[in-house]
Amino acid sequence: MAVNPGLESESAAGDGGAADLLYPLLRADDGDREGEERMGIDEMLRWHAGEFGRWQLRHFVLTSAAWALEAFHTMVMIFADREPAWRCSGGPCPADPCGVGPDEWEWAGGPAESTVKEWGLVCGDKYKVGLVQSGFFAGCMIGAGVFGHLSDSFLGRKGSLIMVCILNTIFGLLTSISPTYWVYATLRFLTGFSTGGVGLCAFVLATEPIGPTKRGAAGMSTFYFFSGGIALLSGIAYLFPSWRSLYIVTSLPSLLFLIAILPFVSESPRWYLVRRRIHEAMRVIRAIAKSNGKHLPNGVTLKLDDDDDDDDDQENLKRSKNDQPLSEKAVSGSIVDVLRSPTTRIRLILTVAINFLCSIVYYGLSLNVVNLKTNLYLSVLLNAIAEMPAFVLTTVLLDWFGRKPLGVGTMWLSGAFCIVGSLVGSVGAMKIVRMVCGIIGIFGMAATYNLLFIYTAELFPTVVRNAALGCATQAAQLGAILAPLVVVLGDGVPFAVFGVCGLAGGMLAFFLPETMNRPLYDTMAGLEEGESRVVE
């Protein structure tokens, strides 16, 4: 039977048992005898400040609203780069305008409706539409790594979120006045660079102040904001059919978020702690406790999970409480440290591979919306709404089955139905069967996508958490770049590829450890020490 010291405190923190009442008193007595009590953030939230009260709810909603901004900047290309209606000058029209002479057909509507119409991105230049899309996701891949590192280092979670909002506003507005296709493609790449940091910075900033028993359900709820943003975008695109006006309207919310919301968002206390800014970390914890109707006992303060309560640490702590410079350097880490450790190295390799495979399936199935030849605005809206039951499912089942079984199950669900979709035909009633397989495939992979963020965040300590999430996000963006290339293969081949990717991702997840109700470590040393205490 495995024994984990972190799990003992989790079980003691049950629903209002005698241990809940006695534990703070016993800890207070210990603190009085020793003069001062030091504990980690998870312990502080559980026993004194509250795991998910009024403060965390407000902070979570405000911060997670940034996901809607990411949805705007990512999915706007569906409408801006769409191929609008066209008509023949005379006689019946073929399925493709390339089948008639250049003087025998014309666009319906005004020239500013889409980039395809304005710059003639059809026939021999049709590849340029895909080039812009791939360029955007390539920018996301680079930006995720850059801002993942910056948010773990000197810039912080909130500082990085401020930076990406500024860049998104600037690049988005400049995109609306692009004079040529190549300027447009360049600005979309730059927008992708800044957009790549939005989700991961917002996710970590929203979930780090939440206690361990509530963090999973809260983290799973962030994707409602992304799907909600997509649904809202479909209405905005309907009201603003011009691609230039659409880029203006979808870029201004980033400026509004920067001015009206971010001033009320706090920096992560975990980031303060690993930077050895204990005074600021305690200030946030006191604000959490006060807003949640809790009280912090005198003489209680924070420590990193690998700190020892020796005399040197106590002296360093006293100086930090007086807001004086610490003799110790801030604890930091990079992706190099992740690769050096055998424990985190295998975790990083697995999460990168799983995110890559998951992204191919999710974006690949989502891109089939434009091939349905139905009302585009309604299709995008329904696609966004269809993902939400998957988020409900994962949120409800997350703390029942755990991260690992749920991840394996949802990926295999998606993969199995994609395999079935590849085996059925595409005529008559079989088209409906294939469509249902695709819907269930998206349902399963949306659930996996939702799960992977919280799972990845819990697998790595605070000092490298955003760097690891950045790598996983980069892998996902690489999958997004390749997904359109799979879709163009046509017929049942894409479904077969998506099925294999889903099944392979589920198999890789078997090699990851379970993180449910495990401590959220702060440092690499703390993680190594905590994992070494697990006894078979």
Side-chain angles (χ1 to χ4, degrees):
M1 179 178 178
V3 178
N4 185 347
L7 292 178
E8 294 181 7
S9 61
E10 294 284 354
S11 60
D15 296 330
D20 289 31
L21 299 175
L22 292 176
Y23 181 82
L25 297 176
L26 295 174
R27 300 289 300 197
D29 291 341
D30 292 342
D32 290 338
R33 287 194 298 268
E34 298 175 6
E36 202 157 46
E37 183 184 10
R38 306 177 65 196
M39 60 178 64
I41 287 184
D42 278 349
E43 198 175 15
M44 184 78 78
L45 292 172
R46 183 184 304 117
W47 295 115
H48 300 304
E51 293 195 67
F52 193 80
R54 184 188 306 171
W55 191 96
Q56 285 101 332
L57 177 60
R58 179 187 63 85
H59 187 264
F60 176 81
V61 171
L62 292 177
T63 307
S64 298
W67 280 93
L69 306 179
E70 180 174 353
F72 286 174
H73 292 289
T74 302
M75 299 302 181
V76 66
M77 68 179 70
I78 295 177
F79 303 101
D81 300 337
R82 70 189 185 279
E83 183 174 310
W86 58 280
R87 56 175 175 259
C88 294
S89 300
C93 292
D96 193 318
C98 301
V100 297
D103 297 329
E104 298 177 14
W105 69 277
E106 62 182 1
W107 295 113
E113 189 175 349
S114 75
T115 59
V116 171
K117 181 185 293 187
E118 182 159 335
W119 291 313
L121 305 181
V122 293
C123 301
D125 288 333
K126 192 172 184 178
Y127 76 94
K128 292 183 178 179
V129 177
L131 186 63
V132 171
Q133 182 176 0
S134 296
F136 174 84
F137 285 119
C140 288
M141 184 173 65
I142 298 172
V146 171
F147 287 105
H149 172 72
L150 290 177
S151 63
D152 279 335
S153 57
F154 70 94
L155 200 55
R157 281 78 160 116
K158 182 178 178 179
S160 297
L161 196 54
I162 291 173
M163 180 63 68
V164 296
C165 285
I166 293 173
L167 294 178
N168 270 344
T169 303
I170 294 174
F171 294 145
L173 293 177
L174 289 176
T175 301
S176 68
I177 58 174
S178 300
T180 65
Y181 165 81
W182 292 110
V183 173
Y184 172 72
T186 302
L187 287 169
R188 284 300 290 164
F189 170 82
L190 294 175
T191 305
F193 172 78
S194 54
T195 302
V198 174
L200 70 93
C201 291
F203 178 84
V204 174
L205 184 58
T207 56
E208 283 192 334
I210 298 174
T213 65
K214 309 297 182 183
R215 190 182 306 119
M220 302 295 283
S221 301
T222 58
F223 284 86
Y224 288 109
F225 294 86
F226 185 80
S227 295
I230 298 175
L232 184 60
L233 175 64
S234 63
I236 294 174
Y238 181 79
L239 296 175
F240 296 90
S242 168
W243 73 269
R244 294 186 183 273
S245 61
L246 183 58
Y247 272 111
I248 294 176
V249 175
T250 54
S251 299
L252 290 178
S254 294
L255 179 62
L256 181 63
F257 182 84
L258 182 68
I259 297 173
I261 295 181
L262 275 178
F264 301 98
V265 171
S266 172
E267 179 57 87
S268 169
R270 296 183 187 274
W271 181 81
Y272 279 137
L273 186 59
V274 299
R275 302 298 293 176
R276 296 289 183 180
R277 295 164 62 175
I278 301 178
H279 179 76
E280 288 96 329
M282 282 301 301
R283 177 172 51 81
V284 177
I285 294 295
R286 291 190 188 96
I288 294 174
K290 181 178 179 181
S291 179
N292 292 347
K294 304 284 186 177
H295 174 69
L296 293 184
N298 294 329
V300 176
T301 191
L302 292 169
K303 70 168 184 176
L304 290 170
D305 48 27
D306 66 339
D307 280 349
D308 295 323
D309 293 321
D310 55 26
D311 294 338
D312 292 339
D313 287 331
Q314 292 290 344
E315 179 63 26
N316 189 65
L317 177 64
K318 293 176 183 178
R319 293 167 62 188
S320 73
K321 288 171 63 180
N322 293 326
D323 206 20
Q324 297 297 319
L326 294 169
S327 60
E328 295 182 64
K329 293 182 179 179
V331 180
S332 61
S334 67
I335 203 65
V336 176
D337 299 303
V338 177
L339 294 173
R340 284 174 180 165
S341 168
T343 302
T344 54
R345 180 170 59 244
I346 187 64
R347 293 182 181 186
L348 182 66
I349 293 172
L350 289 172
T351 53
V352 162
I354 293 170
N355 274 272
F356 171 75
L357 296 171
C358 176
S359 183
I360 291 178
V361 181
Y362 176 79
Y363 283 104
L365 290 173
S366 298
L367 288 176
N368 281 331
V369 173
V370 296
N371 296 326
L372 296 178
K373 304 302 180 182
T374 58
N375 185 291
L376 183 61
Y377 306 102
L378 182 60
S379 297
V380 173
L381 174 63
L382 294 177
N383 191 54
I385 294 175
E387 295 180 3
M388 295 185 181
F391 303 153
V392 175
L393 177 69
T394 48
T395 301
V396 171
L397 300 181
L398 180 67
D399 292 326
W400 284 9
F401 295 99
R403 281 64 164 156
K404 181 175 175 179
L406 195 58
V408 173
T410 53
M411 279 186 278
W412 279 3
L413 173 69
S414 178
F417 275 91
C418 286
I419 291 293
V420 173
S422 69
L423 298 176
V424 300
S426 57
V427 295
M430 290 298 100
K431 291 194 297 184
I432 304 300
V433 175
R434 178 173 285 183
M435 181 187 70
V436 172
C437 289
I439 292 174
I440 299 177
I442 291 177
F443 175 88
M445 204 50 66
T448 305
Y449 232 124
N450 193 15
L451 170 67
L452 281 179
F453 254 83
I454 187 66
Y455 198 5
T456 304
E458 291 179 343
L459 286 169
F460 299 93
T462 303
V463 291
V464 295
R465 183 167 298 120
N466 262 23
L469 271 173
C471 284
T473 305
Q474 284 180 299
Q477 299 301 340
L478 180 59
I481 294 172
L482 296 179
L485 304 180
V486 178
V487 172
V488 298
L489 297 176
D491 201 23
V493 177
F495 274 97
V497 174
F498 300 151
V500 171
C501 289
L503 296 177
M507 293 180 63
L508 292 176
F510 266 112
F511 297 97
L512 288 173
E514 179 57 70
T515 59
M516 183 174 67
N517 292 334
R518 297 288 299 277
L520 196 63
Y521 296 102
D522 295 319
T523 64
M524 295 291 294
L527 182 143
E528 294 286 355
E529 180 181 357
E531 294 299 312
S532 67
R533 291 177 181 173
V534 179
V535 180
E536 296 295 339

